[in-house]
Amino acid sequence: MEKMSRVTTALSSNSITGRTMFCHLDAPANAISVCRDATQVVVAGRNIFKIYTLEEEQFVEKLNLRVGRKPSLNFSCADVMWHQMEENLLATAATNGAVVTWNLGKPSRNKQDQLFTEHKRTVNKVCFHPTEVYMLLSGSQDGFMKCFDLRKKESVSTFSGQSESVRDVQFSMKDYFTFAASFENGNVQLWDIRRPDRYERMFTAHTGPVFCCDWHPDDRGWLATGGRDKMVKVWDMTTNRPKEIYCVQTIASVARVKWRPEKKFHLATCSMMVDHNIYVWDVRRPFIPFATFEEHKDVTTGIVWRHQHDPHFLLSGSKDSTLYQHMFKDATRPVDKANPEGLCFGLFGDLAFAAKESLISSDTNRKPYPGGDRRYPIFFFKKPDPTEQFAHVSSALSVFETDLDSNRMDWFVKTAQLYLLSGKPFAELCDHNAKVAQELKRPQVSTTWTMLRIMFSDPANLTAPGLNHNLSKLGPMPLMNSFSIKEIGPGVGTESRLERSKGESRQDNIHLDPGNSHISNNEENEETEGSEGQAEYMFIDAELDDDDLYSMEHDNQAEEQEYTLPQEAFQLRHEIIDNPSAPEHLQQDKADSPHVSGNEAEVTCLTPIESFSLISISQPLYNPHLPASFFCPIVREMLSYYAEQGDVQMAVSVLIVLGERIRKEIDDLTQEHWYMSYIDLLQRFELWNVSNEVIKLSTCSAITCLNQASTTLHINCSNCKRPMSNKGWICDRCHQCASICAVCHHVVKGLFVWCQGCSHGGHLEHIMNWLKSSAHCPAGCGHQCEYT
Amino acid sequence: MEVQDQESVGRWDGLGSRDASSRSEAMDNICQEVMRKVEVIGPILSSAPSSPALGGPPNSDLNDTLAHLLMLSKRCPFEDVRERCIRLLRAVQDLGIRIPRPLGNGPSRFIPEKEILQVSKVDTRTQSIFEDAFAALGRLDNISLVMGFHPQYLESFLRTQHYLLQMDGPLPLHYRHYIGIMAAARHQCSYLVNLHVNDFLQVGGDLKWLNGLDEAPRKLQQLGELNKILAHRPWLLTKEHMERLLKAEEHSWSLAELIHAVVLLTHYHSLASFTFGCGITPEIHCDGGHTFRPPSLSQYCVCDIANGNGHANHHDDVFGNQDVCGEVEVLMERMRHLQECRDDEEASQEEMATRFEREKTESMLVVTAEDEECVPSRDISRHFEDPSYGYKDFSRRGEHVPTFRAQDYSWEDHGFSLVNRLYPDVGQMLDEKFQMAYNLTYNTMATHKDVDTSMLRRAIWNYIHCMFGIRYDDYDYGEINQLLDRSFKIYIKTMVCSPEKTTKRMYESFWRQFQHSEKVHVNLLLMEARMQAELLYALRAITRYMT
């Protein structure tokens, strides 16, 4: 019999054609089913029960089975099934607990054939025997499964699921007597139709209800189950204990699962809530759906493959009151949209990169990375299955090892810790930061700071002497002096270009160098390169100042000089007011004075204390400084450059130090972005203090408010162990000071560390020392505190 | 009062420990503290012994402490703590200080104290549940005590409540308690409101918010509308309501927060039902739970008779028992009949539909006692707006709201998935709680054993859902009429729809032969059924918003 059915169905399979199409139903569908020859589909729901014929271009309503003026609840269907042997026979499961069969061959309008009202609760599922004409199985909420012989008025056998609601029943395609039932408590039971007293085997398939199950059409032992726990599992039932062989994790509870005909590893699923799509999975590739149908606008309630032997047509009904025929070729393939490359950092900074081989090979034609390419192809993965329609993809996995030293971000941490961002006059901040950068062997950054100081120091400012001093001290000075002023803009431009080129090689070193000798060479090169550049300027500079460029003494001098300054500053301020048209003036002047020494003198003249005895020109003649705003575009460009190079630290530090001088020039969003990146970095390096300082100093409201969030520190009183109320350190319950050091019994001022377990704590050093020698709380409460 | 109360709670923490020595240490501290206070206050009292200002400022702190001690002496699950509290109270009394005594006997006004589990005499399982609850909250509230009849359920209930209020969740702690206050206040449940006002302040809530919803953040104010509809006419909830809360603006809610809030609201609405349904009395250490007045004769009569613990009432019970003898048997007979005759009389579909309609309409006719209406005290009504908004019968002539079909949106299939998606683990806990309540049975009815009560439980559950307009296709609503008599229906309807009107008489007039534990069981059913009904409507609205 089995064989025969196979033959008959196979015969008619050639003729199916069609396209993706849909029709509107009058009401949401709960279930659909197709007749054997795949020409008609029945749609059933609470308020709908219709048969449509599938034509080439459209659905055509053929028959409305819902008759009568006020149809009874027997028409309210939870499930429907078309007999696969008998073309005129349909069965429905009604929400009121009735099982109804319909005979389309009846001449009357009402096609209702038999009515079984044996179930006490909603019937969730009906299932015809695949080969036996008169055998119908039902599963109900009341926990019973009943087998009906359609020639009789009532059920022939009842199977009890021990008061657990039955969600699905399915006859095995291959074993004549076997059926599977899935339950609301997560179990799946296998029954022999001849033995109603006891199930053959039972196993727990899911946590929570198992909404559906489906036998594999070809493989005797495979059963797919889908549950509320968002999983689809494939079980091998041939073994002693059912073995889970595949598991697909979906994003929502699985309402239906149907094996795809002729494709051994494919199954289609739809979900019960939230997700409206239909997915076709290859169970061997459980992470990404093989194909997706995204047409429905509400949850899909019924899916069925149009023909038992044709994998290209899928029918679906939905709560959005539509019936769809999906062509498989029209499905979206999420795989195509998936990122074909994977990238991941290892714990110690190793970088793994996987990509299609073709992509990689084209890649290798490029020049290897400057730091020395250390790509190791680890393995090639070839999909072995020749039957699959997946493109044979071999991916290459490359691992870039990084030497810990070269990749170290020490410079970042040091810089973050040492930079001064506020609390001193602008020029001093710049100097300080320049020095920090220099000490960390980052000459271009150092130079940048110095440049900034020159550009933005207001001559009228009290910090002028520092400025002057530094002018003479550091490299960039000659830039101003040696070139005519007209070239200043471009001059700075070339400087920054130089930086850029240097920065690039440096970046490479930082991120990609494997840290072998090659790097160090490279680094040396770079350094010499840098110093060469520096030397060029210094060459000119040296005339003026023989001091060691970065000596400490010089700094001291700067400070000393500062004290003597005020009177000068006042004068200067007046000058500025007197010379509103300073730029042109200056330009002319500068242009007029081609001599470096002359220029230098002009500048140094501002600070007579400076002991240069070069030509003195009466200073009030002109203002040697350009207004700060003149440099803004350049600085802006420079900041963006740094940020893009990944040195967001520099960008943010400059932004903070310059403050009002530059802030207007850069749009808020960019600033915010920089701040966020920098803060994020700082926090990765656990530089909490610095990060906090940055947040505090930032001027973006979005950033400063970071500090306002979760500022409450919940602490317990060390005395009474109850949560402290809002203010102060005095517990308002026991009226004791809660911040008493448990070691020295003095009130702690400053850093207070306490145990979150027992609320006791004290001076940081005291506690640290104590816990070195003892594992228990110094307060003697017996708690085992831990200092980490 | 509230602030001071919170203050005094501070010292009690150590008592919740399972370790006897740390308990005794904590108790030592308390003793010292109390004695110190007594010394301070002692002279004042002795100089003016007749001072009526018992709750006056100088010794109110002490009084709170004493009240708390009194509570502990009665309610603490640890024997040693109870004993020492009693001793301490005696010692204080011996010093000439007035000590409080509990007002009303036992945790419930409806159930005689001796029926309810004594904290001293419980099996180990219940004991351990009580201890957990005590450790978590520093108290064992009357609700838990009454639920102690059904320890399995209690465990599930406490776990859920603890998770909702204290564990990971999208809402900050004080929001959760405030939402609890809002929900309980909707039903004028002063018991729950007081309880959560304390907790709210404990977790650092702003005292100002308690002046009324107007003082609370805008975000919570917006929840007021949802609270109102959900409490009284959940079937009117639409996706627009959700949209309003979720639309992106400054005070908007996220989906996860909304789910949390909805679960809290429904939890407290239904808990308010339970509180009234079982006549839960104020906590001993809270306002109205104790008095410092010496027991005078007249007072004794008034309060104890009103609380149903007097002797006269007892006689009444005996008399009543004779009167309704056989009620249980009749009910059982009917159940048996229904079971057997199910197949014989096959009601037509139209008939079934009408039966639901009839039950629905009839539930409207079950008039709750209007005359016994209690005026909402100002204290509580400030936590919600629009106090006139109350339960309106589901299907009134004129306005037609489509019936909610349980098969189309059920907790198991849909609600659970949504909740668990947005507020992980809670779906699971609620699911367990619902199942626990629905399936709980001891196979007994009054004095009869081995009775299958599933039919009765289902009738009660479905009747409540029917009142909220939820219909089960597979249920014959004729059964309800057979199984639930009128007085029971009145009780159910009052408790579910306007719980604040529940009276002792209602409680007593249904199922007179049944035991109190069974009535509490019924209450649990009502509570959970109501919660599920509200949740279903709210979740359906959210689902519709999402699709």
Side-chain angles (χ1 to χ4, degrees):
Chain A
M1 185 143 207
E2 188 185 305
K3 202 173 177 186
M4 198 181 75
S5 76
R6 183 67 180 272
V7 174
T8 48
T9 45
L11 275 179
S12 53
S13 67
N14 302 331
S15 55
I16 300 178
T17 51
R19 60 182 188 96
T20 294
M21 59 187 182
F22 75 101
C23 74
H24 284 289
L25 311 173
D26 314 323
N30 275 348
I32 60 173
S33 184
V34 283
C35 75
R36 184 185 52 178
D37 60 6
T39 54
Q40 296 175 56
V41 57
V42 58
V43 183
R46 172 170 294 285
N47 295 312
I48 183 171
F49 191 20
K50 282 182 182 172
I51 291 177
Y52 289 86
T53 49
L54 288 152
E55 297 190 353
E56 196 95 337
E57 292 292 309
Q58 59 185 341
F59 292 98
V60 175
E61 183 179 331
K62 188 192 170 206
L63 186 63
N64 187 357
L65 289 159
R66 202 175 150 81
V67 292
R69 249 180 313 116
K70 212 180 168 193
S72 77
L73 275 178
N74 289 342
F75 287 96
S76 164
C77 306
D79 190 36
V80 64
M81 180 151 180
W82 204 313
H83 202 296
Q84 294 303 302
M85 302 287 296
E86 177 57 65
E87 275 181 25
N88 283 331
L89 197 53
L90 288 166
T92 59
T95 52
N96 65 352
V99 174
V100 195
T101 60
W102 312 80
N103 185 353
L104 301 181
K106 270 191 169 186
S108 64
R109 257 188 86 221
N110 190 349
K111 309 284 186 195
Q112 183 170 329
D113 191 19
Q114 294 246 55
L115 178 68
F116 304 100
T117 53
E118 293 181 35
H119 284 295
K120 295 194 192 79
R121 304 283 305 269
T122 299
V123 179
N124 287 319
K125 195 76 190 173
V126 284
C127 182
F128 281 114
H129 195 279
T131 52
E132 195 61 66
V133 178
Y134 296 108
M135 200 184 287
L136 174 66
L137 190 66
S138 67
S140 156
Q141 199 73 16
D142 63 10
F144 292 103
M145 294 142 279
K146 286 178 187 284
C147 181
F148 302 95
D149 184 329
L150 300 184
R151 292 162 296 198
K152 295 182 184 162
K153 285 266 173 262
E154 54 194 46
S155 62
V156 286
S157 44
T158 299
F159 310 86
S160 166
Q162 264 85 47
S163 80
E164 270 302 330
S165 301
V166 187
R167 298 309 296 244
D168 200 357
V169 283
Q170 291 288 343
F171 276 111
S172 165
M173 304 297 270
K174 299 291 175 190
D175 294 323
Y176 186 89
F177 296 110
T178 308
F179 73 88
S182 71
F183 291 84
E184 211 152 74
N185 63 355
N187 288 343
V188 171
Q189 295 179 351
L190 286 196
W191 290 80
D192 186 318
I193 201 85
R194 297 161 295 187
R195 292 195 56 194
D197 53 328
R198 219 196 115 70
Y199 52 80
E200 297 282 291
R201 61 207 300 191
M202 176 168 87
F203 61 98
T204 303
H206 294 265
T207 53
V210 188
F211 287 134
C212 52
C213 58
D214 196 33
W215 290 97
H216 196 282
D218 299 318
D219 199 312
R220 176 182 302 265
W222 283 15
L223 180 72
T225 58
R228 192 169 72 180
D229 58 1
K230 307 179 191 174
M231 308 240 237
V232 180
K233 292 181 180 174
V234 179
W235 304 86
D236 184 358
M237 311 295 283
T238 52
T239 49
N240 259 345
R241 280 173 58 90
K243 205 175 92 201
E244 181 188 324
I245 44 178
Y246 294 109
C247 177
V248 176
Q249 177 87 47
T250 66
I251 57 165
S253 53
V254 182
R256 310 264 175 193
V257 53
K258 286 274 179 256
W259 287 100
R260 188 173 174 208
E262 311 286 296
K263 303 281 175 187
K264 190 175 179 198
F265 295 100
H266 286 194
L267 48 78
T269 66
C270 65
S271 90
M272 191 163 263
M273 280 288 289
V274 189
D275 185 16
H276 310 158
N277 297 343
I278 301 163
Y279 300 105
V280 178
W281 302 87
D282 184 304
V283 288
R284 295 162 304 175
R285 302 189 134 212
F287 305 108
I288 190 159
F290 176 68
T292 311
F293 300 101
E294 295 165 335
E295 281 85 1
H296 285 298
K297 306 216 161 37
D298 202 339
V299 282
T300 310
T301 47
I303 47 174
V304 60
W305 295 95
R306 185 167 161 192
H307 191 274
Q308 289 182 33
H309 298 284
D310 189 336
H312 301 299
F313 296 83
L314 179 70
L315 299 170
S316 68
S318 158
K319 281 236 169 13
D320 64 5
S321 305
T322 55
L323 173 66
Y324 260 93
Q325 168 168 282
H326 309 276
M327 294 293 294
F328 209 82
K329 63 175 165 51
D330 294 336
T332 48
R333 303 295 182 97
V335 180
D336 299 341
K337 290 182 199 153
N339 189 349
E341 287 156 34
L343 186 70
C344 188
F345 269 111
L347 184 60
F348 298 107
D350 294 352
L351 179 69
F353 175 68
K356 237 171 156 174
E357 229 195 355
S358 52
L359 293 173
I360 293 267
S361 57
S362 71
D363 213 19
T364 45
N365 294 337
R366 273 194 276 157
K367 265 194 88 176
Y369 293 108
D373 189 0
R374 298 288 299 284
R375 229 188 45 203
Y376 297 122
I378 297 294
F379 59 81
F380 294 93
F381 176 66
K382 276 214 193 289
K383 270 187 68 65
D385 194 336
T387 64
E388 263 325 301
Q389 59 270 66
F390 288 113
H392 288 192
V393 179
S394 52
S395 304
L397 177 68
S398 322
V399 173
F400 300 89
E401 286 181 334
T402 43
D403 184 84
L404 283 180
D405 291 332
S406 74
N407 207 22
R408 242 183 225 157
M409 293 278 279
D410 281 352
W411 62 271
F412 177 88
V413 177
K414 284 233 176 71
T415 313
Q417 284 167 338
L418 293 175
Y419 266 4
L420 281 180
L421 300 178
S422 69
K424 286 199 173 172
F426 168 71
E428 263 181 72
L429 292 178
C430 287
D431 279 350
H432 176 93
N433 293 346
K435 193 151 65 70
V436 168
Q438 193 60 45
E439 273 163 11
L440 289 168
K441 301 204 168 54
R442 304 174 72 211
Q444 73 279 29
V445 174
S446 169
T447 313
T448 311
W449 278 112
T450 317
M451 295 282 300
L452 284 171
R453 193 208 55 220
I454 297 165
M455 291 171 176
F456 286 93
S457 276
D458 188 338
N461 204 304
L462 285 180
T463 59
L467 159 83
N468 280 319
H469 153 74
N470 278 298
L471 270 181
S472 58
K473 184 184 79 177
L474 283 176
M477 175 63 199
L479 186 73
M480 282 183 75
N481 292 338
S482 56
F483 302 154
S484 77
I485 197 69
K486 278 175 190 143
E487 284 173 323
I488 278 187
V492 174
T494 51
E495 168 70 15
S496 72
R497 241 171 275 139
L498 178 63
E499 276 169 11
R500 188 167 305 170
S501 58
K502 275 192 276 179
E504 264 161 16
S505 57
R506 183 166 186 90
Q507 287 297 330
D508 291 339
N509 275 331
I510 289 158
H511 293 297
L512 295 165
D513 276 357
N516 50 14
S517 58
H518 194 92
I519 299 178
S520 50
N521 280 339
N522 208 340
E523 218 154 300
E524 276 164 28
N525 287 340
E526 189 200 331
E527 245 169 62
T528 48
E529 192 183 283
S531 48
E532 267 166 23
Q534 211 90 33
E536 246 178 294
Y537 302 126
M538 277 170 58
F539 174 70
I540 307 160
D541 200 27
E543 290 177 7
L544 312 165
D545 191 350
D546 285 330
D547 276 351
D548 179 10
L549 270 175
Y550 313 112
S551 75
M552 285 302 284
E553 299 98 293
H554 223 102
D555 249 19
N556 293 340
Q557 275 182 16
E559 276 163 30
E560 281 165 25
Q561 287 160 3
E562 214 177 341
Y563 295 112
T564 54
L565 220 79
Q567 299 92 337
E568 286 296 329
F570 280 124
Q571 276 190 343
L572 284 170
R573 188 178 293 161
H574 285 298
E575 279 166 36
I576 275 188
I577 297 162
D578 290 340
N579 284 319
S581 58
E584 299 89 345
H585 197 72
L586 179 69
Q587 271 183 344
Q588 282 173 3
D589 278 336
K590 289 253 172 180
D592 289 343
S593 58
H595 295 290
V596 172
S597 55
N599 267 334
E600 177 59 25
E602 286 149 23
V603 179
T604 47
C605 275
L606 296 172
T607 59
I609 309 102
E610 192 73 49
S611 59
F612 297 122
S613 55
L614 292 169
I615 317 149
S616 64
I617 296 170
S618 59
Q619 23 168 319
L621 284 177
Y622 52 83
N623 184 343
H625 281 271
L626 291 164
S629 60
F630 178 80
F631 298 105
C632 282
I634 296 158
V635 173
R636 185 178 60 209
E637 200 181 308
M638 184 269 292
L639 289 182
S640 311
Y641 161 73
Y642 272 114
E644 270 160 35
Q645 284 301 307
D647 190 2
V648 74
Q649 179 177 49
M650 184 65 187
V652 171
S653 303
V654 170
L655 202 58
I656 291 175
V657 169
L658 286 180
E660 287 298 337
R661 296 174 185 86
I662 191 71
R663 190 180 337 130
K664 298 263 176 349
E665 295 290 316
I666 298 165
D667 69 290
D668 288 348
L669 224 63
T670 316
Q671 288 192 36
E672 196 181 317
H673 182 65
W674 290 350
Y675 274 120
M676 290 306 279
S677 317
Y678 187 37
I679 290 164
D680 191 39
L681 265 176
L682 288 171
Q683 291 181 344
R684 291 274 168 112
F685 282 99
E686 302 185 348
L687 297 163
W688 313 114
N689 289 339
V690 183
S691 123
N692 203 41
E693 193 190 353
V694 169
I695 294 173
K696 203 171 93 189
L697 291 173
S698 77
T699 44
C700 299
S701 54
I703 303 298
T704 39
C705 75
L706 288 179
N707 257 355
Q708 313 300 316
S710 69
T711 53
T712 319
L713 205 55
H714 293 284
I715 45 171
N716 285 345
C717 170
S718 60
N719 205 36
C720 64
K721 309 245 178 79
R722 294 301 302 178
M724 298 271 288
S725 62
N726 23 27
K727 282 163 227 93
W729 280 96
I730 302 291
C731 174
D732 52 4
R733 289 190 196 86
C734 55
H735 304 290
Q736 300 242 14
C737 182
S739 61
I740 287 183
C741 176
V743 180
C744 67
H745 299 285
H746 286 101
V747 174
V748 182
K749 284 179 182 141
L751 281 182
F752 180 53
V753 62
W754 75 97
C755 167
Q756 294 187 319
C758 66
S759 326
H760 295 115
H763 293 101
L764 182 59
E765 317 97 87
H766 290 172
I767 296 290
M768 274 166 76
N769 287 335
W770 176 275
L771 288 175
K772 264 181 211 151
S773 55
S774 167
H776 290 270
C777 176
C781 67
H783 188 261
Q784 294 205 339
C785 305
E786 195 181 0
Y787 180 83
T788 48
Chain B
M1 168 71 204
E2 283 136 2
V3 185
Q4 288 154 359
D5 203 61
Q6 177 205 6
E7 217 175 284
S8 64
V9 173
R11 268 168 263 115
W12 312 108
D13 215 28
L15 298 178
S17 165
R18 277 180 188 271
D19 171 34
S21 61
S22 60
R23 284 203 303 270
S24 112
E25 193 184 316
M27 206 58 218
D28 287 339
N29 287 337
I30 293 169
C31 286
Q32 286 169 12
E33 188 70 18
V34 170
M35 286 311 175
R36 192 177 57 76
K37 281 186 188 162
V38 166
E39 275 165 31
V40 173
I41 285 158
I44 306 171
L45 270 188
S46 53
S47 66
S50 57
S51 162
L54 287 164
N59 57 353
S60 69
D61 188 26
L62 174 64
N63 282 352
D64 288 335
T65 311
L66 292 178
H68 203 101
L69 279 174
L70 179 70
M71 184 277 282
L72 287 176
S73 72
K74 296 271 184 192
R75 297 280 190 268
C76 181
F78 297 105
E79 173 97 45
D80 49 345
V81 175
R82 283 199 304 272
E83 265 174 24
R84 291 200 57 176
C85 286
I86 294 171
R87 259 189 285 153
L88 179 58
L89 280 172
R90 287 227 185 90
V92 171
Q93 194 173 28
D94 292 344
L95 288 173
I97 308 283
R98 229 165 243 172
I99 60 162
R101 63 185 181 84
L103 258 181
N105 291 334
S108 163
R109 283 185 294 128
F110 299 166
I111 309 165
E113 189 174 17
K114 60 179 186 308
E115 295 262 345
I116 294 179
L117 293 179
Q118 302 291 308
V119 273
S120 46
K121 294 170 241 155
V122 288
D123 56 32
T124 43
R125 176 167 183 199
T126 321
Q127 172 76 20
S128 111
I129 297 172
F130 280 175
E131 282 172 11
D132 281 343
F134 189 80
L137 288 168
R139 63 167 189 253
L140 188 59
D141 49 23
N142 289 339
I143 290 182
S144 306
L145 272 179
V146 173
M147 281 182 186
F149 279 123
H150 308 283
Q152 293 162 294
Y153 174 82
L154 176 65
E155 198 176 6
S156 170
F157 172 84
L158 286 175
R159 192 171 51 232
T160 312
Q161 182 168 268
H162 182 250
Y163 193 90
L164 284 179
L165 289 176
Q166 267 136 323
M167 303 299 278
D168 287 345
L171 288 173
L173 291 181
H174 59 292
Y175 266 51
R176 305 182 193 187
H177 288 290
Y178 196 78
I179 291 173
I181 295 171
M182 283 169 69
R186 205 56 243 182
H187 284 307
Q188 293 144 39
C189 181
S190 53
Y191 171 81
L192 286 175
V193 170
N194 281 338
L195 218 53
H196 282 282
V197 160
N198 284 348
D199 293 343
F200 172 72
L201 295 171
Q202 187 93 45
V203 296
D206 187 345
L207 198 61
K208 262 201 314 220
W209 296 10
L210 296 175
N211 294 335
L213 202 52
D214 297 338
E215 309 255 348
R218 185 97 194 82
K219 187 166 168 172
L220 284 170
Q221 288 180 28
Q222 285 179 334
L223 202 62
E225 174 81 1
L226 179 67
N227 181 22
K228 181 177 83 175
I229 300 178
L230 207 50
H232 303 296
R233 302 169 208 172
W235 51 89
L236 296 180
L237 274 183
T238 59
K239 74 172 187 187
E240 282 74 26
H241 290 112
M242 300 300 169
E243 224 162 55
R244 238 168 279 153
L245 290 170
L246 293 165
K247 70 175 172 232
E249 57 170 44
E250 202 182 339
H251 307 289
S252 74
W253 290 74
S254 74
L255 264 174
E257 286 173 332
L258 184 63
I259 292 277
H260 194 174
V262 160
V263 174
L264 280 171
L265 285 175
T266 52
H267 178 81
Y268 280 101
H269 289 154
S270 51
L271 196 55
S273 278
F274 180 85
T275 307
F276 284 110
C278 290
I280 302 290
T281 50
E283 294 295 331
I284 293 180
H285 63 285
C286 285
D287 249 347
H290 59 272
T291 178
F292 283 89
R293 294 214 181 78
S296 71
L297 193 60
S298 61
Q299 246 191 345
Y300 175 77
C301 293
V302 171
C303 90
D304 282 325
I305 289 172
N307 286 324
N309 292 308
H311 300 283
N313 219 354
H314 194 63
H315 294 300
D316 200 33
D317 269 351
V318 175
F319 179 70
N321 275 348
Q322 289 163 347
D323 191 31
V324 292
C325 198
E327 192 189 48
V328 184
E329 284 71 20
V330 171
L331 185 56
M332 285 174 63
E333 185 54 43
R334 280 194 186 147
M335 280 167 62
R336 204 171 305 127
H337 181 76
L338 277 174
Q339 201 102 45
E340 285 160 2
C341 302
R342 177 184 290 281
D343 306 327
D344 308 351
E345 50 115 20
E346 201 39 69
S348 75
Q349 297 307 314
E350 288 74 18
E351 172 68 10
M352 299 287 261
T354 18
R355 279 182 191 171
F356 174 74
E357 293 303 324
R358 195 192 317 139
E359 208 51 55
K360 220 164 65 180
T361 343
E362 208 162 278
S363 79
M364 291 160 46
L365 301 176
V366 177
V367 186
T368 54
E370 290 293 339
D371 49 335
E372 295 187 65
E373 187 175 1
C374 49
V375 186
S377 58
R378 188 191 49 79
D379 199 35
I380 289 171
S381 59
R382 68 189 171 197
H383 293 300
F384 60 90
E385 303 158 314
D386 194 5
S388 60
Y389 193 93
Y391 176 84
K392 281 269 169 54
D393 290 303
F394 173 69
S395 76
R396 290 152 71 84
R397 277 157 284 271
E399 51 178 295
H400 182 70
V401 184
T403 304
F404 188 115
R405 303 288 189 145
Q407 267 81 6
D408 291 350
Y409 199 97
S410 68
W411 165 255
E412 286 79 13
D413 293 2
H414 306 93
F416 172 90
S417 302
L418 184 61
V419 172
N420 232 23
R421 188 185 190 85
L422 295 167
Y423 188 12
D425 296 345
V426 164
Q428 200 64 46
M429 289 185 185
L430 291 175
D431 199 40
E432 274 166 31
K433 191 158 70 91
F434 288 141
Q435 277 188 20
M436 180 68 74
Y438 191 87
N439 293 329
L440 188 68
T441 180
Y442 305 96
N443 294 318
T444 55
M445 273 177 79
T447 51
H448 300 265
K449 295 223 161 42
D450 294 328
V451 190
D452 179 12
T453 57
S454 60
M455 192 176 246
L456 191 56
R457 283 181 278 131
R458 192 167 167 219
I460 295 170
W461 189 277
N462 287 357
Y463 182 62
I464 292 156
H465 280 194
C466 168
M467 276 187 296
F468 284 100
I470 299 176
R471 179 177 174 190
Y472 290 83
D473 286 340
D474 53 358
Y475 188 68
D476 175 9
Y477 284 84
E479 282 184 22
I480 290 178
N481 249 355
Q482 303 256 341
L483 298 177
L484 313 183
D485 60 20
R486 192 167 166 75
S487 54
F488 189 31
K489 279 186 181 171
I490 291 179
Y491 177 74
I492 294 179
K493 167 120 193 196
T494 316
M495 201 192 118
V496 169
C497 301
S498 39
E500 60 279 8
K501 292 175 187 157
T502 316
T503 61
K504 182 166 165 61
R505 194 193 299 156
M506 285 181 200
Y507 176 82
E508 275 168 357
S509 61
F510 83 93
W511 282 14
R512 269 173 282 189
Q513 285 180 317
F514 283 78
Q515 282 154 23
H516 285 293
S517 72
E518 289 172 309
K519 291 195 174 184
V520 172
H521 185 176
V522 166
N523 267 296
L524 296 179
L525 262 181
L526 302 188
M527 170 167 117
E528 293 301 332
R530 174 178 181 193
M531 178 167 180
Q532 199 182 69
E534 282 186 20
L535 259 184
L536 282 177
Y537 275 111
L539 295 176
R540 187 179 66 162
I542 293 174
T543 308
R544 284 186 177 162
Y545 167 81
M546 287 169 71
T547 49

